[in-house]
Amino acid sequence: MSLLFLAAATALCAAPSVHDGDTIRCGAERIRIANIDAPELPDSPKCKDARRSYAWCDYEQGYKARDALQAFLSGHTVHIARLGTDRYGRTLARISVNGRDAGGYLVRAGLARWWN
């Protein structure tokens, strides 16, 4: 792997904003945490259409997941290890703080599940 590719695949984000339990923003970049699924929030179209059959539409848990992710990232520089993009154009990445994986943290807390 070239150093140029490695630099493009990894980044730091000093001020991420949390959209929901499995999606953040770093500047204009939307980043979906890879390999997890967190409960949806009430504004999710997944809970209003045919995707409802597989969507996790527990809104109370969705708020808890969002808030837990916000607390986990708050006040820290976030490491983003990019893996690709999803069908919605979001960056798929592993997100970590001080070597601790955000997705694993949410799964262990019962606020997300592993997803392939």
Side-chain angles (χ1 to χ4, degrees), residues 7-20 22-33 73 78-86 88-95:
T10 62
L12 298 176
C13 184
S17 63
V18 174
H19 173 72
D20 60 22
D22 52 25
T23 309
I24 67 170
R25 284 188 181 269
C26 185
E29 184 178 18
R30 293 180 312 143
I31 303 166
R32 172 75 159 77
I33 300 174
L73 303 178
V78 174
H79 183 263
I80 301 165
R82 293 184 183 92
L83 304 171
T85 56
D86 69 7
Y88 303 108
R90 297 175 297 189
T91 299
L92 286 173
R94 294 200 185 277
I95 304 297

Side-chain angles (χ1 to χ4, degrees), residues 1 7 10 23 34 41 53 55 60 71 87:
M1 180 181 310
T10 62
T23 309
L41 293 174
S53 64
E60 183 178 334
R87 64 182 170 192

Side-chain angles (χ1 to χ4, degrees), residues 25-103:
R25 284 188 181 269
C26 185
E29 184 178 18
R30 293 180 312 143
I31 303 166
R32 172 75 159 77
I33 300 174
N35 301 325
I36 68 163
D37 182 41
E40 303 299 327
L41 293 174
D43 63 345
S44 171
K46 288 182 186 177
C47 295
K48 296 175 176 64
D49 62 24
R51 296 173 288 180
R52 184 168 178 77
S53 64
Y54 65 83
W56 188 359
C57 299
D58 181 336
Y59 302 140
E60 183 178 334
Q61 285 295 98
Y63 286 121
K64 287 179 182 179
R66 182 200 60 195
D67 295 348
L69 180 58
Q70 178 64 46
F72 183 83
L73 303 178
S74 183
H76 300 285
T77 298
V78 174
H79 183 263
I80 301 165
R82 293 184 183 92
L83 304 171
T85 56
D86 69 7
R87 64 182 170 192
Y88 303 108
R90 297 175 297 189
T91 299
L92 286 173
R94 294 200 185 277
I95 304 297
S96 61
V97 171
N98 298 325
R100 293 183 58 211
D101 181 68

